[in-house]
Amino acid sequence: MSKILITGGAGFIGSHVVRLFVNKYPSYQIFNLDKLTYAGNLENLKDIEEKPNYNFLKGDITDQKYINSIFKKFQFDAVLHLAAESHVDRSIASPMEFIHTNVIGTVNLLNAAKGFWGANTEGKLFYHISTDEVYGSLDQGGYFTETTSYDPQSPYSASKASSDHMVRAYHNTYKIPVVVSNCSNNYGPNQFPEKLIPLCIHNIKQRKPLPIYGKGENVRDWLYVIDHAKAIDIIFHKGKIGETYNIGGFNEWSNLDLVKLLCQIMDKKLGRQEGESAQLINFVKDRAGHDLRYAIDAQKIMKELGWEPSLQFEEGLEKTVDWYMNNESWLEHVTSGSYQQYYEEQYKA
Ligand code: NAD
Ligand code: TYD
């Protein structure tokens, strides 16, 4: 029986990965390790918390002693590492938090894997989940491939790039079996409403301004979160040790076009007149060092591992809007207290 440690499983992407693994692989024991920061929410996993192959561990990846103790106690065969500080705007306000969690936390996990697996790495795997933001920013043309040089531009992407380098260094130096994937922007149910799409859904509903940084020209390549979770499943089971896989939906949208589409979808759902919600669009001060464009070339995972995205963007966005409309209590719980303070500080005039 495989014992799999999934870090950050109470977060947005992690909760979808935990659910997929718990339901699809009843013979695996899944251990979800999460510190439950503002972004971690056990409500995301209510439907599976009673399953016999699911275990929750509340802990901090920056605590090496604790990480060693759980490796000793549970003897993990594999690690799927998603725990991270993940929001670019927060990384601009407090970069150290990102160094601690994303860099030191990752190295702590690598140290534990190195110490407990030793030379006996048969059947072991350290899978590091990363982002396309490590490649930097593109102009109008071209894509990020697995061989694009790293050129991170924000404290968040620089911390993720550092962690990717450490993962590859442990593979090269200590022969830890690793695999890395770099994915484009995710959207879907359970995303914390500080990120663009859930923030706008929430604000459209409440007729609050929709803050668009700069002119809204920046382009992101959006992928439905469940398609990312499926790619992670495929890479975990079929990916080649030492390899990197880029994951993306070939689905580029400027922020302004995306928010306009969201407004159209929500006008229909809310019985508003066409164009009504778009009047809420509000151009605000640009993000410092705002990357212009991200776009992933996902041909390697498609050709070599047979993965492909299942949803068109319009369909995925509509499903996402429906989820947020049907889960008002989830949104109420996560938008109270400290999130209000963050919001006021971030968007003050
Ligand atoms: P998230 O912020 O929603 O979740 C992160 C989770 O990690 C939370 O549950 C949080 O409690 C936990 N965590 C944070 N610090 C921790 C610590 N010190 N110890 C233990 N747990 C801790 O993030 P997400 O959007 O789900 O992203 C998950 C991973 O995927 C990250 O590594 C991120 O870099 C990567 N990624 C995200 C996207 C995206 O669009 N969201 C795209 C590509 C890659
Ligand atoms: P975000 O969801 O924070 O993801 P990332 O910065 O990791 O790509 O932002 C997506 C895009 O939306 C990015 O170009 C910044 C922009 N944005 C806004 O214009 N307004 C906002 O309030 C937020 C949160 C983001």
Side-chain angles (χ1 to χ4, degrees), residues 259-311:
V259 172
K260 282 182 178 163
L261 174 63
L262 199 53
C263 288
Q264 264 175 34
I265 293 174
M266 290 198 61
D267 278 344
K268 281 197 200 129
K269 301 260 175 212
L270 295 166
R272 291 183 189 165
Q273 280 192 346
E274 209 182 315
E276 206 177 322
S277 300
Q279 287 170 16
L280 298 167
I281 288 174
N282 181 31
F283 294 97
V284 298
K285 187 166 156 259
D286 207 354
R287 172 185 281 174
H290 197 172
D291 286 341
L292 179 63
R293 174 172 168 254
Y294 306 141
I296 279 278
D297 179 345
Q299 287 187 74
K300 177 175 171 181
I301 183 175
M302 289 172 151
K303 284 188 184 150
E304 291 184 14
L305 304 184
W307 171 86
E308 57 181 36
S310 65
L311 284 186

Side-chain angles (χ1 to χ4, degrees), residues 125-141:
L125 182 66
F126 191 103
Y127 180 179
H128 179 62
I129 281 83
S130 192
T131 164
D132 61 354
E133 302 190 27
V134 297
Y135 298 120
S137 179
L138 291 166
D139 293 328
Q140 298 310 328

Side-chain angles (χ1 to χ4, degrees), residues 87 133 185 194-196 211 213 220 255 287 290 347:
H87 187 41
E133 302 190 27
N185 285 62
E194 67 186 357
K195 303 278 173 83
L196 180 68
Y213 297 160
R220 297 294 183 262
N255 294 334
R287 172 185 281 174
H290 197 172
Y347 295 103

Side-chain angles (χ1 to χ4, degrees), residues 162-292:
S162 308
S163 66
D164 294 11
H165 289 317
M166 291 307 290
V167 170
R168 294 194 181 100
Y170 270 60
H171 172 61
N172 182 58
T173 312
Y174 308 113
K175 308 303 169 210
I176 307 286
V178 309
V179 69
V180 177
S181 60
N182 297 81
C183 189
S184 63
N185 285 62
N186 284 214
Y187 71 99
N190 303 99
Q191 187 168 31
F192 195 81
E194 67 186 357
K195 303 278 173 83
L196 180 68
I197 291 179
L199 187 149
C200 287
I201 294 175
H202 188 46
N203 285 11
I204 291 170
K205 222 174 63 188
Q206 299 192 320
R207 295 185 189 275
K208 278 172 65 177
L210 309 177
I212 308 278
Y213 297 160
K215 295 183 186 150
E217 294 169 331
N218 305 68
V219 171
R220 297 294 183 262
D221 176 1
W222 293 94
L223 182 70
Y224 194 60
V225 62
I226 292 172
D227 280 328
H228 187 190
K230 287 179 183 167
I232 289 173
D233 177 19
I234 292 175
I235 293 168
F236 181 79
H237 289 97
K238 293 204 226 155
K240 271 202 213 142
I241 302 291
E243 290 286 314
T244 296
Y245 296 91
N246 278 357
I247 310 169
F250 288 107
N251 178 44
E252 293 181 50
W253 288 78
S254 75
N255 294 334
L256 185 57
D257 286 347
L258 186 159
V259 172
K260 282 182 178 163
L261 174 63
L262 199 53
C263 288
Q264 264 175 34
I265 293 174
M266 290 198 61
D267 278 344
K268 281 197 200 129
K269 301 260 175 212
L270 295 166
R272 291 183 189 165
Q273 280 192 346
E274 209 182 315
E276 206 177 322
S277 300
Q279 287 170 16
L280 298 167
I281 288 174
N282 181 31
F283 294 97
V284 298
K285 187 166 156 259
D286 207 354
R287 172 185 281 174
H290 197 172
D291 286 341
L292 179 63

Side-chain angles (χ1 to χ4, degrees), residues 55-69:
N55 310 271
F56 177 66
L57 306 170
K58 184 172 187 308
D60 188 338
I61 59 168
T62 67
D63 180 348
Q64 181 79 73
K65 260 196 191 156
Y66 171 74
I67 297 298
N68 289 348
S69 75

